[in-house]
Amino acid sequence: MPQYLKLLLDYPVVIAAIVVSGIGGTFQYGFNVSVMTSPSAFIKELVNTTCRRRYNVTLEQWQLSLIWSFTVSIFCIGGLLGSLLISPLLSKFGRKQCLLLNNAVAITGAALMLLSQTANSFEMIMVGRFLYGINSGVSFSVHTLYLTECAPKRLRGMVGVTVSTFISFGKFCGQLLGISELLGTEGGWPWLLGFNGFTALLQLSTLSFLPESPRFLLLDRGDRPACEQAVRRLWGNKDCSREVEEMLEENATLQSVRSHSVLELIQNRAVRWQLLTIVVIFTTLQLCGINAVYFYSFEVFRAAGIQDQQLRYAALGTGLCEVFTSVACFMIIENTGKKVLLVRGYLGMSVTLVLLTVTLYLQSHVSWVPYCSMTLIFFFIFFFAIGPAGAASPLPGELFTQSFKAAGYTVACSLNWTGLFVLGMVFPVLADTLHYFCFLIFLFFCGGCALFVRFNVPETRNRTVLEIAAEFQRMHSKSGESQREKMSEQKASGAQTHETKL
């Protein structure tokens, strides 16, 4: 671990890219996921006040709940739209320009949030949430892709984990700024909801000083001098000739091969296992139960004797736990590898879900059991942040060659946003019907994903995209070892010139 951290410190421009792209990237997603809890009472009051003044109507409770649910959920609809825009935006503007242009969407949304109370318009909050969703949907993919393409191969795993670190940090900041001592007040909540605009301005003012992704410049634009200049700016005087040669090899392989659409990705049998891996992992990422555990954490904290007015401070502890664990994942991933972290993380989450179901069932019968439940909640967050949260985000960029990357991220992020939206709609019903036994449903997804990754996905650490593609084919080839030998012969003879044979 120290050797990789020391190695990263030798790349100060890469560290700057991590911070700058993160603060206006997945930080926005994490912040928006957690920020709506604190000002909910003030926003509902604004909805009631607006309807009385504008329409002379007093809303019933179910009508108010419906408007509130739509206000929260429209963020996911915007995120899904942003995910669908990724492929054409990346092809036209590139990684850096996408991030820069995306900040304008966040700043517009923030302006609507800041003015909503003055204008007595809850509709402005809805539109702002929708724009925040588009911003988060685009930045979730582009931030990840930009970082992993700017990092040296031996640090790609460590740098990729920072994507989830900024998500966790965003969640924690949303919880922290939402307390009543800061912006969680009647006068401060518009500034709380508009905070994303400040982080967007920060990225907008600093990202322009960083270079574009070297891989994009070479493989998409075919501009080798610009690629070499970007490498020198990012990596300094380090000897990175081998990695440039690997990019050139991939460039030679992809000559005359254009970027593929999502439909072409789905239809291409040569990458079906990579696509299936993305589908399984990103579906499970939302259906693993992390949101359910956060939901039930308040019930557990109450049972453990924590007063209602102190619950938000206890929630800060869960957010802080996720941040620290994500940092720990950042430290160990280069030595451990993504496959091991995914398998161990989901297995640990599976065991924890079983024990948590048992303790929640017994907490009204045994006085000390709520403390066990509280401990298990922190264990579950630990296993999530140390494994799936850190290892999953960069996978589309590692499993697919350059012409399939944009489509791969479109599929991954669309699944992520769809899962978040469906869970937001369905989970309240599950919670009311099954109560804590709903964890058994999430147990199925966690255990199934762990087994799938264990037997069907190769390790990606210190491997190029072409090497990973060859390993997928070896693992799932009917002819087994003979196919591996055949591929080795093809590689040695230079006959492997078309991407779909990889």
Side-chain angles (χ1 to χ4, degrees), residues 11 14 30 52 89 101 118 130 160 168 181 261 266 269 295 327 343 404 436 450 488:
Y11 295 89
V14 174
R52 281 197 303 268
L89 288 176
L101 293 172
T118 304
F130 180 71
S168 303
E181 289 81 0
S261 67
I266 294 172
R269 292 176 59 83
F295 176 83
V327 172
V343 173
F404 280 113
Y436 38 78
S488 299

Side-chain angles (χ1 to χ4, degrees), residues 65-373:
S65 298
L66 184 63
I67 294 174
W68 170 250
S69 297
F70 182 75
T71 304
V72 174
S73 301
I74 200 172
F75 174 69
C76 299
I77 299 173
L80 181 59
L81 177 60
S83 299
L84 297 176
L85 293 173
I86 290 167
S87 187
L89 288 176
L90 285 175
S91 300
K92 185 174 183 178
F93 297 108
R95 285 56 166 148
K96 177 182 170 181
Q97 290 300 321
C98 266
L99 287 172
L100 288 172
L101 293 172
N102 196 35
N103 288 312
V105 180
I107 292 170
T108 304
L112 291 171
M113 294 294 193
L114 289 170
L115 296 173
S116 60
Q117 187 180 41
T118 304
N120 284 318
S121 174
F122 65 88
E123 295 90 346
M124 294 174 68
I125 299 177
M126 290 181 179
V127 177
R129 285 283 290 177
F130 180 71
L131 293 176
Y132 279 166
I134 294 175
N135 170 267
S136 298
V138 172
S139 64
F140 193 97
S141 298
V142 183
H143 171 206
T144 308
L145 197 53
Y146 177 72
L147 269 190
T148 53
E149 290 185 351
C150 286
K153 183 175 70 174
R154 53 189 168 174
L155 293 176
R156 203 164 293 153
M158 175 182 277
V159 170
V161 171
T162 62
V163 173
S164 66
T165 303
F166 275 97
I167 293 176
S168 303
F169 183 55
K171 290 179 183 178
F172 175 71
C173 286
Q175 294 170 333
L176 178 63
L177 293 176
I179 63 175
S180 56
E181 289 81 0
L182 295 176
L183 297 177
T185 61
E186 187 173 0
W189 67 262
W191 294 95
L192 174 65
L193 297 185
F195 184 78
N196 296 80
F198 296 102
T199 56
L201 283 171
L202 180 60
Q203 185 184 81
L204 192 63
S205 62
T206 53
L207 184 61
S208 56
F209 296 102
L210 295 173
E212 178 58 275
S213 155
R215 292 180 64 85
F216 170 78
L217 293 171
L218 179 62
L219 301 182
D220 287 82
R221 293 284 169 84
D223 192 344
R224 182 173 177 178
C227 169
E228 292 175 344
Q229 182 181 4
V231 167
R232 285 193 295 271
R233 287 182 63 189
L234 284 165
W235 302 343
N237 298 321
K238 310 295 184 301
D239 183 14
C240 302
S241 57
R242 177 57 193 155
E243 297 194 38
V244 176
E245 288 175 11
E246 289 173 354
M247 282 192 280
L248 290 172
E249 289 174 7
E250 187 175 347
N251 186 45
T253 303
L254 299 179
Q255 285 293 328
S256 73
V257 178
R258 59 181 174 78
S259 293
H260 294 287
S261 67
V262 173
L263 182 60
E264 289 171 323
L265 171 63
I266 294 172
Q267 292 175 338
N268 195 310
R269 292 176 59 83
V271 291
R272 65 185 182 277
W273 278 102
Q274 288 93 319
L275 177 60
L276 184 58
T277 298
I278 294 302
V279 170
V280 171
I281 289 178
F282 276 82
T283 300
T284 309
L285 198 61
Q286 287 300 332
L287 301 179
C288 65
I290 185 66
N291 295 309
V293 167
Y294 272 120
F295 176 83
Y296 271 102
S297 64
F298 286 90
E299 178 184 323
V300 170
F301 292 149
R302 284 192 189 97
I306 297 176
Q307 300 299 316
D308 284 356
Q309 60 270 25
Q310 304 297 323
L311 284 177
R312 65 180 58 184
Y313 303 105
L316 281 177
T318 61
L320 202 58
C321 173
E322 188 172 340
V323 172
F324 285 150
T325 309
S326 182
V327 172
C329 181
F330 167 81
M331 297 291 188
I332 68 172
I333 192 167
E334 289 294 348
N335 286 327
T336 308
K338 289 185 177 63
K339 179 175 180 176
V340 174
L341 289 179
L342 282 168
V343 173
R344 290 179 180 176
Y346 278 126
L347 287 178
M349 291 164 70
S350 300
V351 174
T352 307
L353 284 175
V354 174
L355 296 175
L356 187 57
T357 303
V358 173
T359 57
L360 287 174
Y361 176 75
L362 295 175
Q363 72 177 5
S364 59
H365 300 86
V366 184
S367 60
W368 50 266
V369 166
Y371 299 100
C372 296
S373 300

Side-chain angles (χ1 to χ4, degrees), residues 407-466:
Y409 270 107
T410 299
V411 171
C413 291
S414 298
L415 288 169
N416 182 72
W417 287 104
T418 303
L420 187 62
F421 178 77
V422 170
L423 191 66
M425 294 290 100
V426 174
F427 177 71
V429 178
L430 289 177
D432 289 339
T433 306
L434 301 177
H435 302 288
Y436 38 78
F437 289 108
C438 67
F439 289 139
L440 299 179
I441 299 175
F442 303 124
L443 172 64
F444 167 79
F445 286 96
C446 290
C449 187
L451 293 175
F452 177 86
V453 173
R454 170 65 180 83
F455 295 107
N456 295 287
V457 181
E459 179 55 68
T460 62
R461 181 172 50 127
N462 293 329
R463 286 179 173 173
T464 65
V465 176
L466 301 182

